[in-house]
Amino acid sequence: MERSLKRLKTDVIDLYYAHRIDPNVPVEEMVGAMAELVQAGKVRFLGLSEASANSIRKAHAVHPISALQSEYSLLTRGVEKEILPVCKELDITFVAFSPLARGLVTDTLNIDELPSNDFRLTLPRYQKTYQENNTNLAHGIAAIAKEKGCTAAQLSLAWLLAQGEHIIPIPGTKKLKYLRENAAAADIHLTDADLRALQAVLDKYPNVGDRYNEAAYRLVDKS
């Protein structure tokens, strides 16, 4: 930790994440070790990533968990049943990574033009099997966005923000233009009719494919 702080040129880390739950280490033991860094003044808040509801409860009992980072988007809804309610109950901020489904919901991505070394090509959703479904779905989202006077990306982020005040999406971008565009999504208000229209598109094109392949799923906490 001392070397990390020195490299970062700081005395304290604001939010310290455990980015995966090790199935061979009790989560209570892991969080206990992280809590020692809080007590030493080297870390202010603790977070987890891709943790199950059960692991979140166990961790929170050892030391308050301030944030949970997991994938959540129009296409990835697995956290809705148990994890989002637990976060709301325990006052844990939910940080949604890949909120634009790695570009699939922006209606600007041409999978056929991705370079052969693009990580996304290893994921089921980017295979030919799902390409027609996901292209049609993206077009449907874009059509609703056009009616709202925003981009498909902004609409998708606004949908996430509408799912709860404890949710913060973290879209990635390399360009200032898209950073500003993404931030403007916070000003978009979605009506119940908008939400129903989006759900209708998802229901019409449900064959989106899994977010991970089998090897990657082995790293997801299932406890």
Side-chain angles (χ1 to χ4, degrees):
M1 173 58 74
E2 294 294 343
R3 289 196 296 270
S4 295
L5 292 173
K6 186 175 181 179
R7 286 195 296 270
L8 293 169
K9 298 180 181 180
T10 187
D11 297 322
V12 60
I13 300 295
D14 288 321
L15 178 59
Y16 189 54
Y17 275 114
H19 274 275
R20 284 292 184 272
I21 303 298
D22 188 337
N24 299 312
V25 178
V27 68
E28 298 93 335
E29 181 179 328
M30 179 189 73
V31 173
M34 295 168 69
E36 292 177 3
L37 297 173
V38 177
Q39 295 159 6
K42 301 182 187 302
V43 169
R44 291 195 174 100
F45 303 100
L46 300 184
L48 301 175
S49 181
E50 295 279 78
S52 69
N54 186 44
S55 290
I56 295 168
R57 289 190 182 280
K58 288 181 179 180
H60 197 73
V62 175
H63 187 280
I65 299 299
S66 298
L68 175 76
Q69 182 181 154
S70 290
E71 186 169 352
Y72 188 31
S73 70
L74 280 165
L75 304 192
T76 300
R77 309 278 290 273
V79 299
E80 291 180 339
K81 183 177 180 180
E82 295 182 347
I83 294 173
L84 283 182
V86 167
C87 287
K88 187 173 183 178
E89 174 194 338
L90 300 178
D91 196 25
I92 298 172
T93 297
F94 184 92
V95 181
F97 76 78
S98 296
L100 301 176
R102 297 182 173 87
L104 275 178
V105 297
T106 65
D107 200 37
T108 61
L109 182 68
N110 187 337
I111 295 176
D112 293 328
E113 294 180 355
L114 293 177
S116 59
N117 62 347
D118 193 301
F119 163 73
R120 290 173 290 186
L121 293 177
T122 68
L123 305 177
R125 285 181 182 164
Y126 289 81
Q127 307 309 310
K128 293 290 185 181
T129 304
Y130 307 104
Q131 189 169 354
E132 181 178 358
N133 180 91
N134 292 338
T135 297
N136 289 332
L137 188 151
H139 289 343
I141 294 171
I144 299 172
K146 186 176 181 180
E147 293 180 1
K148 292 288 292 184
C150 64
T151 67
Q154 288 175 322
L155 181 65
S156 300
L157 294 173
W159 177 86
L160 268 173
L161 292 170
Q163 304 311 302
E165 294 183 354
H166 63 309
I167 298 172
I168 300 176
I170 49 170
T173 183
K174 297 178 181 178
K175 297 183 179 180
L176 183 59
K177 169 188 174 182
Y178 296 123
L179 176 62
R180 290 171 173 160
E181 177 184 307
N182 291 337
D187 298 323
I188 298 172
H189 171 69
L190 299 186
T191 66
D192 289 342
D194 294 329
L195 296 173
R196 287 194 297 270
L198 277 169
Q199 187 59 52
V201 172
L202 294 169
D203 292 342
K204 186 175 182 180
Y205 302 108
N207 194 28
V208 298
D210 287 337
R211 67 182 180 118
Y212 284 151
N213 55 35
E214 185 177 347
Y217 266 127
R218 296 194 189 104
L219 301 176
V220 176
D221 180 27
K222 303 179 184 66
S223 63

